[in-house]
Amino acid sequence: MKQFKQGMVPLLASLMLVLAACGNNSNADENNNAAGSTSSGSDGEVSAAAAPVKLSWWHSMSGAGEKAINQIVSDFNASQTGIEVEAVYQGKYDESLNKLKASIGSNSGPDLIQVYEIGSKFMIDSKMITPVQQFIDQDSFDLSGLEPNIIRYYTIDDKLNAMPFNTSNPILYYNKDAFKAAGLDPENPPKTFEEFEAAAKALSKDGKAGATIAIYGWFMEQLFANQNADYVNNGNGRDAAATESLLASDAGVSTLEWWKKMVDDKIVANLGRDTDDTDSAFAAGQVAMTLNSTASLRNMVEAAGGKFEVGTGFLPKPASAKDGGVIVGGASLYIMNNKPEAQQKAAWEFIKYVASPEVQAKWSVSTGYFPINKAAYEQQVLKDNMVKYPQFQTAVDQLHASSASTATSGAVMGVFPEARQIVEGAIEEALNGQKEPKQALEDAGKQITEKIGQYNATVK
């Protein structure tokens, strides 16, 4: 990371002086002058007497993700002497966010936190963050090298509030061998609802369903976007704060009716809410099609264990839907505003490091998440990975094919975690025959609208 280290010298020197001044504010000219008065060694390292700025980074990655995060932190800390980052696992996204809320009013919270995409509005409304746009403007940081369809999700009111970190979207996974056996073209996966239904029917035999879809609210959100349909009003909550759920719109009702019909026809198995269960059924060859995140690709391929060839395709949409695309999922990095200026600036320097092509390439290979930096695809390590897992090209192509709209930018509402659970309950009611799809969605939509109203009343 030689280029990064050289670019950090002036700012790191400034950070040392800001820290020494006990966090007193200083303007850009003062920073530049201060930077000029700090010497640096021949290798580009800062020779500052002050101790390094220490940062606490709360995250929610376990397994391979946590291992990759620890490597990023280790590499960053070794690349320079002015900043020392400590990565702290805080449990799943919900747990981490609850711990952040509990830390309000104290100094026990992090400098930097990873928050899932559906926590975006809460983070903005909390007024606990310094939008990264502030540092982007101060630093004249060029966003053009980052994926526009990823940046778009986290840009609200023309302001980028957080830097995207781990990013994914859903794709179709299918068993190419089973396709051949069923007389289907293994190189031409279904692209529409109608084609998916026909393929599921062809793949079903001996009373066993040919496909399965987990009852996951994220999938419903994505199927809306793929029809270019907003999930909430007011431009998906982006033109103004959302006040109403659009769950029971034509897009929602037709989608759930399509899903229920396939379950009733026993060509799509209802295995519940857990994607681990649908993944296991797919890996075991019990079903030949399923939906899941792009981040699961390597696990899906390796779980098949050579028993069959895994194919990937775009998320299906109704044949009548001409526009649309997928929404990015995952999480982003927020800088907390209750920390001294030196720590916030240091957090921004670390974020820039994380967003670099080299780090993003390694992160993608280690975890399966999209690189947010387009230049990462030119890194040899990622090129080699694309050769090993050619299925990932589908994910890249789908991301780039998504049209720019409020629908594909993603819905924004402060009660998104609760809304997702309510939607999953509605899907269950419809698939289990407790309610008709339209009624289930109307009831769920009313609940979500009420919760939005309650939330909006608390935001000042």
Side-chain angles (χ1 to χ4, degrees):
M1 302 304 296
K2 183 177 180 182
Q3 180 180 359
F4 167 77
K5 289 167 67 177
Q6 291 174 343
M8 280 189 64
V9 170
L11 202 346
L12 286 176
S14 177
L15 284 173
M16 296 300 97
L17 292 176
V18 172
L19 184 66
C22 300
N24 289 337
N25 288 335
S26 57
N27 60 33
D29 290 337
E30 289 170 337
N31 283 343
N32 289 337
N33 291 335
S37 67
T38 305
S39 61
S40 61
S42 59
D43 63 351
E45 295 291 352
V46 175
S47 301
V53 180
K54 293 190 176 182
L55 298 178
S56 172
W57 175 21
W58 285 9
H59 70 86
S60 298
M61 295 283 95
S62 59
E66 184 172 21
K67 183 178 179 181
I69 276 179
N70 290 338
Q71 188 62 57
I72 289 173
V73 168
S74 177
D75 290 345
F76 174 79
N77 289 343
S79 75
Q80 44 72 53
T81 59
I83 305 170
E84 184 179 324
V85 179
E86 179 187 15
V88 185
Y89 175 70
Q90 293 291 352
K92 295 181 179 180
Y93 292 131
D94 288 329
E95 297 173 70
S96 180
L97 196 54
N98 286 335
K99 288 179 182 179
L100 179 68
K101 293 174 183 178
S103 75
I104 295 174
S106 72
N107 292 322
S108 62
D111 300 283
L112 189 68
I113 185 170
Q114 176 196 26
V115 177
Y116 55 2
E117 85 281 22
I118 58 175
S120 296
K121 183 163 175 57
F122 168 79
M123 292 301 292
I124 295 167
D125 291 340
S126 73
K127 297 180 171 57
M128 293 189 296
I129 66 167
T130 299
V132 296
Q133 189 69 50
Q134 178 175 315
F135 299 99
I136 289 168
D137 295 342
Q138 290 174 357
D139 214 14
S140 298
F141 183 78
D142 185 7
L143 287 174
S144 65
L146 306 186
E147 289 281 4
N149 283 353
I150 296 177
I151 293 294
R152 192 156 41 86
Y153 184 97
Y154 297 101
T155 302
I156 299 172
D157 295 330
D158 298 321
K159 181 192 300 180
L160 186 63
N161 295 282
M163 182 62 76
F165 177 52
N166 53 305
T167 303
S168 61
N169 56 47
I171 55 175
L172 168 73
Y173 290 87
Y174 67 100
N175 181 328
K176 286 191 172 184
D177 293 34
F179 264 52
K180 291 177 187 175
L184 300 171
D185 184 352
E187 304 306 323
N188 186 28
K191 299 176 180 63
T192 66
F193 280 9
E194 294 81 359
E195 290 174 356
F196 183 96
E197 184 175 350
K201 185 175 182 179
L203 293 163
S204 300
K205 59 181 179 180
D206 301 327
K208 294 181 180 179
T212 185
I213 302 172
I215 299 175
Y216 186 14
W218 188 52
F219 292 157
M220 182 62 86
E221 297 153 27
Q222 297 286 351
L223 293 168
F224 261 71
N226 216 17
Q227 300 173 59
N228 209 35
D230 286 351
Y231 209 58
V232 292
N233 69 344
N234 293 337
N236 234 2
R238 291 177 176 272
D239 296 337
T243 59
E244 181 185 1
S245 168
L246 302 180
L247 187 62
S249 64
D250 290 345
V253 173
S254 61
T255 295
L256 191 51
E257 287 177 342
W258 163 75
W259 192 342
K260 176 177 169 54
K261 180 179 183 298
M262 293 187 295
V263 170
D264 289 347
D265 290 345
K266 295 182 171 46
I267 60 175
V268 166
N270 175 13
L271 301 181
R273 300 192 187 196
D274 197 339
T275 55
D276 286 345
D277 293 334
T278 53
D279 291 354
S280 296
F282 180 76
Q286 296 169 357
V287 294
M289 288 193 302
T290 191
L291 306 179
N292 205 347
S293 168
T294 53
S296 299
L297 193 148
R298 184 167 67 180
N299 289 340
M300 297 283 274
V301 173
E302 292 178 352
K307 299 189 294 290
F308 59 87
E309 185 179 358
V310 176
T312 54
F314 282 19
L315 186 73
K317 64 172 68 176
S320 59
K322 304 304 179 185
D323 295 315
V326 288
I327 313 165
V328 298
S332 61
L333 304 181
Y334 287 88
I335 296 174
M336 306 309 295
N337 64 11
N338 65 334
K339 302 295 182 177
E341 180 186 9
Q343 285 167 256
Q344 293 188 46
K345 287 184 175 180
W348 169 242
E349 287 302 313
F350 178 62
I351 281 176
K352 287 194 294 183
Y353 173 88
V354 172
S356 67
E358 299 91 339
V359 174
Q360 282 297 301
K362 291 177 183 177
W363 169 251
S364 179
V365 169
S366 299
T367 64
Y369 287 107
F370 282 111
I372 68 167
N373 194 312
K374 292 182 285 188
Y377 291 104
E378 299 306 314
Q379 296 290 311
Q380 192 60 47
V381 66
L382 190 48
K383 287 182 178 180
D384 293 343
N385 194 66
M386 295 289 279
V387 171
K388 186 176 181 180
Y389 300 101
Q391 298 95 335
F392 193 71
Q393 189 62 48
T394 298
V396 177
D397 292 344
Q398 180 177 245
L399 176 68
H400 293 163
S402 296
S403 59
S405 68
T406 54
T408 59
S409 294
V412 180
M413 55 176 154
V415 296
F416 219 141
E418 300 96 316
R420 186 172 280 180
Q421 294 298 313
I422 291 170
V423 171
E424 290 173 4
I427 295 171
E428 282 180 333
E429 289 176 332
L431 298 188
N432 294 335
Q434 296 166 277
K435 293 181 181 178
E436 288 300 312
K438 184 176 182 180
Q439 187 64 56
L441 294 179
E442 285 178 347
D443 292 348
K446 288 177 182 177
Q447 288 184 61
I448 295 169
T449 296
E450 288 175 4
K451 286 188 177 293
I452 291 174
Q454 293 165 1
Y455 174 88
N456 289 348
T458 68
V459 177
K460 298 180 181 178

